[in-house]
Amino acid sequence: MNSTRDPLAAPVSSAGVRIGIDVGGTFTDFVLSDPRDGRLVFYKEPSTPDDPSRAFIVGLKALLDQAGLEPQDISVLMHGTTIGLNAIIQRKGARIGLVVTQGYRDVLEIARSRMPSSFDLHASKEVPLVPRSRVIEIAARFSSKGQMTLEPSEAEIEQVAAQLSALDVEAAALVVINGYTAPQAEEDIAARLSLAAGVPVSSAAAIWPEIREYERTLVACLNAYVQPLIKRYLENLREGLATEGITAPIVVTASNGGSLNVASAMERPVETILSGPASGVMAAVRLAQAAGLTDIITFDMGGTSSDIAVAKAGSPALATQTYVGGLPLVLPVVDVSAIGAGGGSVIWVDPHGIIKVGPRSAGAKPGPVSYGLGGTEPTVTDCYVALGYINPAGFLGGRMSLDAEAARAALAETGRRLGFDGSPSEIASRTAEGALALATTGMASSIYKVLAQRGLDPRDFVLMPFGGAGPTHASLLAEEIGLSHIVIPMAAGTFCAQGAAAADLRRDFVRSLRLPLEGIASLRLAETFQSLTRDGMDWLDAEGAGQARNFEHSADMRYAGQAYELRVSLPGADLDATRLADAFHEEHERIYGFRDAAAAIELGTVRLAAIGITPPLPERPIAVPTSSTAVKGARSIFHKGAWIEASVLDRAALRADLRFSGPAVVEQEDTTVVVLPGWSGRVDALGNLHLEKVR
């Protein structure tokens, strides 16, 4: 295994100032942890989609000014980014080539021979990430036992390299049939090609040595597709930070809820694609454990979309396959599901006169109409403003003023197209409430589906909202799905950045065995875990991890004849066949409702997560109350077709054990919490705001 030690890699200690940064489509969020006084400082800066590093640097300087710190006080920057994800979704990645074993040039074209919708006569296949004209064949092949049955000569390597050069590609991917059985040998071929062609070549087996050629091919292609972009971004970011006198090492958060140093992120950028949402989920799990909660549904509503994840018994669900831009990704990721609109989602009317919410987003620019940056189409945020949920003069703590009249005018125009009558104010209010009801219903339907697939009842869970719009929308969503308890973190609007600041170093290692569980499989399992553990220790050493380390074991198993495996968590590496079988039967029965004790079991892929433990953030409220009263006034909000009077409270002045009743609006710098009638609020010792349905 190859690990590149970043010269700026350093263990994340509890002694230095740590800053988490999450770059989103609408805002770039910052959370600073200063262990010298235990404080957390948060800040939001409008994103700059044309150059994400600009908002990063501007916001970081403002954060340091707010905290009264100097650049040299920073010990580490822990950064989540959506650059790779956006490039894949928008198909704006690098120009890449693909090198495959002779006879397998159509691996991406054939894929899994399935249409995206079996009943849609107009459905079309997803366009391959690499067109067939940039796929090159090479005389290389392995047997199913890992023996090289066809080895490329130097002349073959030079010929393929020349073809890659002629195609003018920025990067390439290499996939050799059965390469997962000999990942080091395939990586050696990739290194020879890279040296001859002068471009980086991603080895599929080196990145993810798991069976299934198409999915492994996509992993390599996705890695090559985003590698030049992320490499340039991180290099430019380093240079820009150095210009400002900031030379602290950068750690990049990963899709599995962990993090990587910059060198690893440049080498394996595919592991960072879903980093932002994963960081928020991991922060929620830590907060839930501190608050004594076990089963939570996280609700991350930002500017572009809303996502949920489920954590049961204190552990988030991990998926071994998800979809990114319509393409399957088989790397382990925190299981986050997109469920609906975000604050910037556009409200529009279709040709049949039906109101719609999203999926288009106004983004950071032009943004919602109320931003006054040129937006003309109303958004979910404009609905919040028109209904009185958000104070137009207090957005981002007063740093940004919103135009409520412009939001109402845009919503009134949309309402007229729906056939609403009345004054412009009445039409705007009815349109805004209808749009939020539509968005909420869609979210609830998606949540029901996600939980039903896991055999879970939403009423058994606590909702934990975060993101800029999550706390604003949380009561609406909880009422729709029948939840009675909501817990809102102190820094909910910058929660993903807080998760980044606390992210452990983590990388997942796999090996496909494809053996019957009985007999030799138990011995092979122990040997394989020992090998993966050595790889994990080497990687943690290269990352600069400290002494606090952990290793998590799991295995994919199936009944003989089944097409796909079921992932089973294991308490350790020393398990005999009987205990493995019992663990699989139990998990199969939990998911599918039955077990087949007489059926043979096959052991597929074994997995090991190598984790370098990051010291936790301080468990204390962000702000110390400066006022003896939390109530700072009242204003009208629109609810169920009428304007009602709601108390307005200052989140920074809420003290532990303080209780209040809805309707109320709780304002803080990074978000606004709406408490509907029939709900009560209380604050716990850590500053978390609990909303509970009045029985």
Side-chain angles (χ1 to χ4, degrees):
M1 138 183 195
N2 293 332
S3 288
T4 305
R5 178 67 184 261
D6 184 350
L8 292 180
V12 180
S13 72
S14 57
V17 171
R18 210 187 314 169
I19 299 178
I21 305 101
D22 180 56
V23 178
T26 306
F27 286 98
T28 297
D29 300 334
F30 301 82
V31 170
L32 179 150
S33 171
D34 189 342
R36 295 170 295 187
D37 53 16
R39 64 175 171 155
L40 295 175
V41 182
F42 61 92
Y43 185 80
K44 293 179 79 74
E45 177 73 22
S47 294
T48 49
D50 59 313
D51 180 7
S53 64
R54 194 165 73 250
F56 187 114
I57 295 171
V58 170
L60 186 57
K61 291 168 61 180
L63 176 72
L64 290 174
D65 289 342
Q66 180 176 320
L69 299 175
E70 299 296 328
Q72 58 267 27
D73 293 321
I74 305 173
S75 65
V76 65
L77 297 168
M78 307 181 76
H79 175 27
T81 175
T82 58
I83 291 176
L85 176 63
N86 292 338
I88 294 168
I89 292 174
Q90 300 171 23
R91 293 296 190 269
K92 292 184 178 179
R95 179 183 173 86
I96 65 171
L98 172 62
V99 181
V100 299
T101 297
Q102 287 177 345
Y104 289 85
R105 189 179 180 190
D106 296 309
V107 60
L108 293 181
E109 299 282 346
I110 296 172
R112 285 291 166 194
S113 299
R114 298 189 187 118
M115 295 296 288
S117 176
S118 301
F119 303 102
D120 185 355
L121 299 179
H122 302 285
S124 58
K125 284 183 58 179
E126 189 69 42
V127 177
L129 201 61
V130 185
R132 194 173 189 274
S133 59
R134 296 207 299 269
V135 180
I136 304 168
E137 296 184 349
I138 188 171
R141 184 171 185 139
F142 297 97
S143 72
S144 61
K145 304 299 183 184
Q147 299 171 329
M148 183 172 284
T149 58
L150 190 60
E151 182 176 4
S153 64
E154 284 306 314
E156 175 86 6
I157 293 291
E158 292 293 336
Q159 179 183 350
V160 173
Q163 290 177 273
L164 286 174
S165 299
L167 292 171
D168 193 28
V169 297
E170 297 179 70
L174 169 69
V175 183
V176 179
I177 291 300
N178 293 321
Y180 71 91
T181 61
Q184 184 60 58
E186 185 185 280
E187 187 175 13
D188 290 343
I189 297 173
R192 292 162 61 194
L193 275 174
S194 179
L195 182 64
V199 296
V201 178
S202 298
S203 161
I207 296 173
W208 201 245
E210 186 176 1
I211 197 170
R212 295 195 172 91
E213 305 298 332
Y214 168 62
E215 286 80 3
R216 192 169 70 254
T217 300
L218 269 179
V219 167
C221 288
L222 289 170
N223 195 76
Y225 192 63
V226 300
Q227 190 173 36
L229 282 71
I230 290 183
K231 187 173 187 292
R232 283 195 296 268
Y233 167 72
L234 291 174
E235 289 175 343
N236 291 340
L237 181 61
R238 271 179 164 178
E239 292 175 5
L241 290 171
T243 301
E244 300 295 334
I246 301 171
T247 57
I250 300 173
V251 174
V252 182
T253 57
S255 307
N256 60 12
S259 59
L260 315 161
N261 71 31
V262 168
S264 290
M266 289 181 178
E267 180 184 348
R268 305 167 64 89
V270 69
E271 295 188 4
T272 70
I273 288 174
L274 299 172
S275 62
S279 296
V281 174
M282 299 307 294
V285 169
R286 295 185 187 97
L287 187 150
Q289 292 171 345
L293 306 173
T294 55
D295 300 342
I296 62 170
I297 299 172
T298 67
F299 173 48
D300 180 3
M301 187 172 180
T304 304
S305 64
S306 298
D307 304 313
I308 68 156
V310 177
K312 191 167 178 61
S315 298
L318 290 177
T320 52
Q321 179 166 314
T322 188
Y323 283 83
V324 177
L327 302 172
L329 178 67
V330 295
L331 299 180
V333 300
V334 174
D335 197 359
V336 177
S337 301
I339 63 165
S345 295
V346 172
I347 314 298
W348 56 288
V349 180
D350 73 7
H352 303 288
I354 299 174
I355 189 171
K356 303 285 186 179
V357 181
R360 285 191 301 115
S361 174
K365 289 185 180 179
V369 174
S370 55
Y371 280 17
L373 299 176
T376 58
E377 296 178 289
T379 66
V380 170
T381 295
D382 294 314
C383 294
Y384 297 150
V385 174
L387 297 179
Y389 293 177
I390 293 178
N391 177 10
F395 198 63
L396 293 183
R399 290 190 289 118
M400 183 175 177
S401 295
L402 303 182
D403 189 341
E405 288 304 316
R408 294 190 188 100
L411 284 163
E413 176 60 30
T414 301
R416 292 188 189 97
R417 293 201 297 273
L418 292 169
F420 290 165
D421 295 323
S423 69
S425 178
E426 292 172 341
I427 296 174
S429 300
R430 291 171 59 194
T431 303
E433 188 168 50
L436 293 187
L438 176 64
T440 305
T441 301
M443 294 173 185
S445 297
S446 297
I447 291 175
Y448 283 135
K449 180 180 178 180
V450 169
L451 294 178
Q453 290 172 338
R454 294 167 171 78
L456 303 174
D457 186 336
R459 293 171 296 183
D460 297 333
F461 288 80
V462 174
L463 185 67
M464 188 172 292
F466 50 89
T472 310
H473 210 99
S475 291
L476 295 171
L477 181 60
E479 288 210 331
E480 183 70 23
I481 60 180
L483 297 180
S484 59
H485 190 183
I486 304 169
V487 177
I488 303 167
M490 278 291 297
T494 53
F495 205 56
C496 288
Q498 184 172 328
D504 296 326
L505 290 168
R506 173 171 176 148
R507 181 172 162 189
D508 292 277
F509 297 83
V510 298
R511 195 71 51 81
S512 287
L513 296 182
R514 317 300 294 178
L515 294 169
L517 184 58
E518 296 181 357
I520 196 173
S522 296
L523 179 59
R524 281 287 301 275
L525 179 67
E527 293 173 347
T528 303
F529 272 133
Q530 289 173 7
S531 175
L532 294 179
T533 300
R534 287 192 295 270
D535 290 345
M537 292 290 287
D538 291 344
W539 180 79
L540 289 171
D541 289 340
E543 295 292 293
Q547 295 301 310
R549 300 178 178 190
N550 187 30
F551 296 91
E552 296 178 355
H553 307 79
S554 61
D556 294 351
M557 292 182 279
R558 67 182 182 183
Y559 290 124
Q562 289 183 318
Y564 285 88
E565 297 85 5
L566 187 63
R567 185 183 181 204
V568 180
S569 296
L570 306 176
D574 299 325
L575 295 174
D576 58 30
T578 301
R579 294 172 65 193
L580 279 170
D582 289 343
F584 172 71
H585 288 313
E586 182 178 342
E587 184 67 5
H588 195 281
E589 186 171 23
R590 188 186 73 82
I591 296 294
Y592 299 113
F594 74 96
R595 66 172 68 195
D596 186 353
I601 299 174
E602 294 178 350
L603 178 63
T605 298
V606 297
R607 304 174 184 273
L608 179 133
I611 303 170
I613 306 297
T614 294
L617 298 178
E619 293 180 355
R620 57 173 293 177
I622 293 173
V624 177
T626 57
S627 171
S628 59
T629 177
V631 179
K632 60 180 185 179
R635 70 167 175 263
S636 297
I637 64 173
F638 195 83
H639 180 61
K640 292 187 176 179
W643 289 95
I644 59 176
E645 195 78 359
S647 302
V648 178
L649 293 86
D650 180 8
R651 179 75 184 266
L654 297 180
R655 299 180 181 274
D657 297 326
L658 181 137
R659 295 176 180 270
F660 60 92
S661 298
V665 177
V666 182
E667 296 181 340
Q668 59 190 81
E669 183 173 337
D670 60 344
T671 189
T672 299
V673 182
V674 175
V675 186
L676 295 178
W679 288 77
S680 66
R682 64 177 176 86
V683 181
D684 68 19
L686 297 176
N688 302 309
L689 177 57
H690 294 249
L691 305 183
E692 295 167 312
K693 185 75 171 175
V694 178
R695 300 293 182 181

